[in-house]
Amino acid sequence: MNRLIQAGLMFANLTRVDTPALVERYNRALHHLTGKRTALTEFAIDISGYSPEVADELGDPQYLNRNGVNRQIILLSTRQKSAPLLNARFSTTRALLRQFIDRNEAQLFALTARDAVAGEMVNGVFDIDSAQKLMDVRRLTIEADTTTGTLRDAEALAARAERFLDEEDAWFDDALIDEMIALARKTGDVTRNPIRLKHTAFHQDNFWTSHLGGVYLFSECDTPALLAREPARLGKPPLPVVDMGDPRDVAAWLHGNGLVQPLVTARGFDAARVLRQKMDFIVVDAAQDGGLDLAGATARDLRALARDNAERLPAEYHQIRRVVAWLEEGGRRPRHSPEDPAYFYLLRAADTPDRDLVNMLLAELAPKDVRQLFICHKELFYALYAGWSDTKKSYVADFLSRDYLADKAGTREALFGHDAPAPAPAPAAAPSRRTGPWSRTNKSPAPDPVPIVGPWGAVIRERR
């Protein structure tokens, strides 16, 4: 992974912990949560406070995320909100932590000025061994406080202050007054400057998790379902299960819920250019066992390589090539079914609130598109990268550092952004109703079956 680290594609934008004061605060929080300490004098942490250097020192990559649930957090600064999340087990964790910091930034800024904030993302589940437990992690609460209990003391002082004001004889209660003075020395005047974290409860309806072999939970859509790599591990699922190994079922579910669109029909989108880049990635994947040095290879170099080795290229390359030829030269539009290897390479997420999650799913279904894989599903990217040859590793690291890191926001917008929708057409006139001889409306005829079709016109399934 050193190539990725040096290129800024792994462990980038972490928050440095490099002063004795910060290290000591981190150690107090770490000991408070886990009973452990680090002997390191410099390291870096992600948005949750996890450090790959500390994990390596402790020999425990899950030292803040036991069993992959109820992730513990250490905040030394609100600047951590711009850091990535490492070893993500849920696709929503980073976004929820970012919301927590944003919504409590003033309070957290004041708290971390003097101490570390330690806490936990609590959902009431201690392990995930069935699909039913996934439903229980949709609601979670972030519980946090400083290592010295500033928030706890502030709540205690606020309660005593309220009692002091409400009780008639509180002025003569010396013990109560002494308690208030002692707490105020720690917290300050909580009546003028209240210290309380708000917005600590969160809800996640649709998400990915690495548990149970990798599962996508869509509980809020037209047809709720679990999309799983290993359906047998789900136990008795509370929702219908779509086997990700069955492309026809996956395609039918995606189209039936309106979650995807063909690249070639997306408005304001250069489909031919994007598809050509996907073809280059497929060429590199096919050439990775040839011992070639492809770092810095241009599109022209890869086209020449493809031309000289056309018979060795996989089916998805030739299927995408025919689509590009149709886009650029016209003629008969190619048709593809979900069983075709190129099918999911020809889709992207529709403009819905879950488009990031859908693009993550598509990246997993079309893993040779390394750019989308890196952007949308980093955990899978890193796992697959470890098994690639040096040929592919060098090309991918060079391409991403040169193409993606140069303009991350622009690349994301170009690939996944959506133009404003076209004006809706005027509604068609309502069909006339069949009436009897005395103008009574007869029962409407049964609707015709509605075909669910893929982007190339092939009927996937019919529903009524």
Side-chain angles (χ1 to χ4, degrees), residues 57-355:
E57 177 198 25
L58 298 177
D60 183 4
Q62 301 294 329
Y63 75 97
L64 286 182
N65 196 19
R66 189 65 55 208
N67 296 327
V69 293
N70 299 313
R71 193 178 189 112
Q72 295 173 306
I73 60 175
I74 298 175
L75 294 179
L76 299 181
S77 167
T78 55
R79 288 183 287 109
Q80 283 174 237
K81 69 180 184 179
S82 61
L85 177 73
L86 305 180
N87 294 344
R89 303 298 299 273
F90 293 89
S91 61
T92 49
T93 301
R94 186 186 183 279
L96 296 180
L97 283 173
R98 177 65 188 255
Q99 288 182 47
F100 171 72
I101 297 173
D102 282 340
R103 294 176 180 180
N104 297 282
E105 188 157 9
Q107 294 90 336
L108 291 171
F109 181 83
L111 292 171
T112 56
R114 296 186 297 176
D115 197 1
V117 172
E120 185 174 356
M121 304 180 75
V122 180
N123 54 45
V125 174
F126 299 106
D127 60 10
I128 295 179
D129 55 11
S130 69
Q132 182 59 54
K133 289 188 177 180
L134 287 179
M135 307 301 290
D136 297 330
V137 303
R138 291 185 300 163
R139 293 175 178 82
L140 59 86
T141 301
I142 297 180
E143 298 179 355
D145 199 350
T146 64
T147 59
T148 54
T150 301
L151 293 176
R152 180 194 61 223
D153 292 340
E155 289 182 4
L157 178 56
R160 285 164 174 76
E162 185 175 349
R163 175 183 161 193
F164 181 80
L165 294 173
D166 291 343
E167 293 183 5
E168 185 175 346
D169 297 328
W171 284 94
F172 306 103
D173 190 337
D174 292 338
L176 175 61
I177 294 173
D178 289 342
E179 289 176 5
M180 291 173 61
I181 292 172
L183 289 170
R185 289 195 181 105
K186 299 178 183 179
T187 66
D189 186 352
V190 296
T191 61
R192 293 187 179 182
N193 302 294
I195 303 176
R196 181 176 298 172
L197 297 180
K198 303 177 181 179
H199 307 293
T200 59
F202 299 90
H203 194 275
Q204 50 184 1
D205 292 313
N206 302 337
F207 58 86
W208 164 87
T209 177
S210 63
H211 292 280
L212 304 174
V215 179
Y216 293 81
L217 169 64
F218 287 87
S219 62
E220 292 294 327
C221 60
D222 292 342
T223 308
L226 292 159
L227 282 74
R229 280 288 179 193
E230 302 176 32
R233 296 180 59 180
L234 299 184
K236 295 182 178 179
L239 295 174
V241 176
V242 178
D243 185 350
M244 291 178 61
D246 188 331
R248 186 169 288 274
D249 282 352
V250 174
W253 184 86
L254 287 171
H255 288 289
N257 284 278
L259 294 175
V260 292
Q261 65 176 177
L263 293 178
V264 298
T265 62
R267 297 178 66 248
F269 185 76
D270 190 349
R273 183 170 179 268
V274 171
L275 290 174
R276 282 195 176 278
Q277 186 63 70
K278 292 175 186 278
M279 291 165 60
D280 288 347
F281 296 147
I282 294 171
V283 171
V284 172
D285 182 76
Q288 67 173 313
D289 295 327
L292 303 175
D293 182 6
L294 296 178
T298 65
R300 178 178 296 180
D301 296 332
L302 294 176
R303 281 197 299 272
L305 185 63
R307 184 175 57 249
D308 296 340
N309 298 274
E311 71 284 354
R312 301 180 184 177
L313 295 175
E316 55 262 48
Y317 177 90
H318 298 290
Q319 291 169 1
I320 296 174
R321 179 179 57 78
R322 286 192 286 271
V323 175
V324 172
W326 168 70
L327 287 170
E328 295 180 340
E329 302 170 11
R332 186 176 180 180
R333 179 174 175 171
R335 305 284 178 178
H336 296 102
S337 70
E339 286 88 353
D340 290 323
Y343 188 83
F344 293 106
Y345 288 89
L346 302 172
L347 300 176
R348 72 169 187 167
D351 190 11
T352 72
D354 293 308
R355 70 180 187 182

Side-chain angles (χ1 to χ4, degrees), residues 399-420:
F399 174 85
L400 291 175
S401 59
R402 172 170 38 88
D403 178 86
Y404 174 62
L405 294 186
D407 184 12
K408 292 191 285 188
T411 301
R412 288 174 178 269
E413 180 62 26
L415 292 175
F416 312 120
H418 291 266
D419 283 353

